[in-house]
Amino acid sequence: MNDRLQRFMLRGAPVRGEIVSLDASWLEIANRHDLAPPVRDCLGELSAAALLLAASLKFDGALVLQIHGDGPVSLLVVECDASGTYRATVKLRDEQPLLNDPGLHALVNQHGQGRFVVTLDPRTNSPNRQPYQGIVPFEGNTVAQVLERYMQRSEQVPTRLWLAADGRRCAGLLLQRLPDEGGTATAGDTDAWARMQMLADTLTREELLNLPSEGVLKRLFWQEPLHDFDRRACRFACSCSRDKVASMLRMLGTPEIESILAEKGSVDVRCEFCNEPYRFDAVDCATLFREGVSPTADHRNQ
Ligand SMILES: [Zn+2]
């Protein structure tokens, strides 16, 4: 099946929707990390949700969803953009065993210290555009519930999400109530928002994971006049590079790098998202700092 996101509108009513299903791209992520099923599924749901939200926000840049956990999972991250490119990773606390079938709460908010952070990074050359970051209270025991609360509080757009993931696939459905601009076209269908939610609430996890997107829409909304379909492909891509790792090593500073070199003979960094290894030997490290120092400072140091 294809990895893609599809958007649709409900004719004559201020309701829009999106449906996403991720197969090959999700397998690339799931296979790169050896995760227990509850953690993997949580990351999959967050991935589907990130792509749905990125496509619904009128925003040019990267959307980053992060859950900082106080339980067995210390961090879940998904980064994506409106073009459908995404990457995702998890950090675990090794010492904490997983309970049987833990919910989101047991994974990341055991002591009430879990934080959910939404970042919109404009990725523009304009120096004045700062990233927006919002910290969301942890309300709800599923990724969908937490994000629904976020959309209600921050964007003030009534939004519902249905998400599911397993080892093969992750998928999600989003419904959003648009501001009613008082147009005559929308006057006739006043219960559309309630009706669409009620229909979508009948969707099972198995259907979301096993039916193609068109099948889900047909099963739920076969009597509804959906239109304006727009499809986009989704794919996994990592933005890591040797240059980015080099900048990070420069920030660590010479003493730290020299101490790692003395101990291990090289500095080895592995990308947390795609597992790509980057090795800097003694010669690479020396070049790193020569490149990083401006000629004036270099001269002063001699
Ligand atoms: Zn990478």
Side-chain angles (χ1 to χ4, degrees):
M1 264 178 257
N2 296 324
D3 294 49
R4 68 177 185 202
L5 184 140
Q6 188 169 335
R7 301 200 285 188
F8 55 87
M9 301 283 295
L10 181 63
R11 197 183 304 281
V15 177
R16 59 181 293 279
E18 293 166 11
I19 186 162
V20 69
S21 83
L22 306 167
D23 298 289
S25 64
W26 172 237
L27 276 183
E28 282 200 66
I29 292 172
N31 291 341
R32 279 179 159 88
H33 305 274
D34 182 22
L35 297 172
V39 180
R40 176 201 64 203
D41 296 352
C42 202
L43 187 68
E45 291 188 9
L46 197 65
S47 300
L51 286 164
L52 291 168
L53 292 183
S56 78
L57 298 170
K58 287 190 182 68
F59 172 76
D60 182 23
L63 168 71
V64 186
L65 300 183
Q66 287 175 306
I67 297 176
H68 296 263
D70 64 1
V73 177
S74 66
L75 183 67
L76 292 153
V77 189
V78 180
E79 285 182 20
C80 70
D81 59 31
S83 75
T85 298
Y86 74 109
R87 62 180 193 165
T89 192
V90 175
K91 275 188 195 152
L92 302 173
R93 281 193 184 82
D94 291 338
E95 70 277 15
Q96 292 208 24
L98 289 183
L99 301 169
N100 264 344
D101 199 19
L104 187 64
H105 190 82
L107 290 176
V108 296
N109 198 31
Q110 275 183 1
H111 311 289
Q113 303 294 313
R115 279 179 303 132
F116 184 78
V117 182
V118 177
T119 307
L120 292 170
D121 186 349
R123 264 189 200 165
T124 165
N125 296 328
S126 157
N128 298 327
R129 294 197 53 188
Q130 295 294 319
Y132 157 84
Q133 195 164 69
I135 299 181
V136 186
F138 225 98
E139 297 169 307
N141 195 31
T142 63
V143 172
Q145 285 168 359
V146 174
L147 282 166
E148 285 171 359
R149 307 287 195 285
Y150 163 73
M151 290 301 284
Q152 185 63 52
R153 279 167 181 260
S154 306
E155 303 291 322
Q156 280 153 25
V157 184
T159 304
R160 294 287 315 278
L161 286 159
W162 293 263
L163 305 168
D166 62 14
R168 306 166 294 119
R169 193 171 203 216
C170 53
L173 171 71
L174 172 147
L175 289 178
Q176 220 164 45
R177 182 183 181 153
L178 300 173
D180 193 345
E181 282 153 7
T184 48
T186 63
D189 194 359
T190 47
D191 72 336
W193 174 236
R195 187 177 71 245
M196 292 290 280
Q197 288 180 81
M198 201 179 69
L199 293 169
D201 274 333
T202 67
L203 181 65
T204 65
R205 180 175 184 277
E206 286 65 35
E207 286 172 324
L208 191 51
L209 285 175
N210 295 315
L211 291 175
S213 295
E214 291 76 8
V216 172
L217 295 183
K218 205 176 220 174
R219 145 77 180 89
L220 296 175
F221 308 127
W222 63 279
Q223 283 186 309
E224 302 292 334
L226 303 187
H227 72 120
D228 262 4
F229 291 96
D230 135 340
R231 296 180 176 87
R232 65 186 68 180
C234 299
R235 66 188 185 97
F236 165 77
C238 192
S239 54
C240 68
S241 68
R242 194 167 171 87
D243 279 352
K244 286 186 184 168
V245 177
S247 321
M248 186 196 79
L249 295 180
R250 274 188 207 107
M251 276 166 34
L252 281 180
T254 316
E256 179 73 27
I257 296 295
E258 279 176 353
S259 126
I260 301 172
L261 274 178
E263 192 191 330
K264 303 199 166 145
S266 63
V267 180
D268 291 280
V269 177
R270 194 173 278 278
C271 173
E272 290 162 358
F273 288 91
C274 69
N275 277 336
E276 180 75 18
Y278 294 96
R279 168 163 288 186
F280 289 75
D281 63 15
V283 176
D284 297 329
C285 290
T287 318
L288 206 65
F289 287 100
R290 264 209 303 283
E291 283 171 357
V293 175
S294 73
T296 337
D298 210 15
H299 179 71
R300 216 172 28 238
N301 288 342
Q302 279 171 1

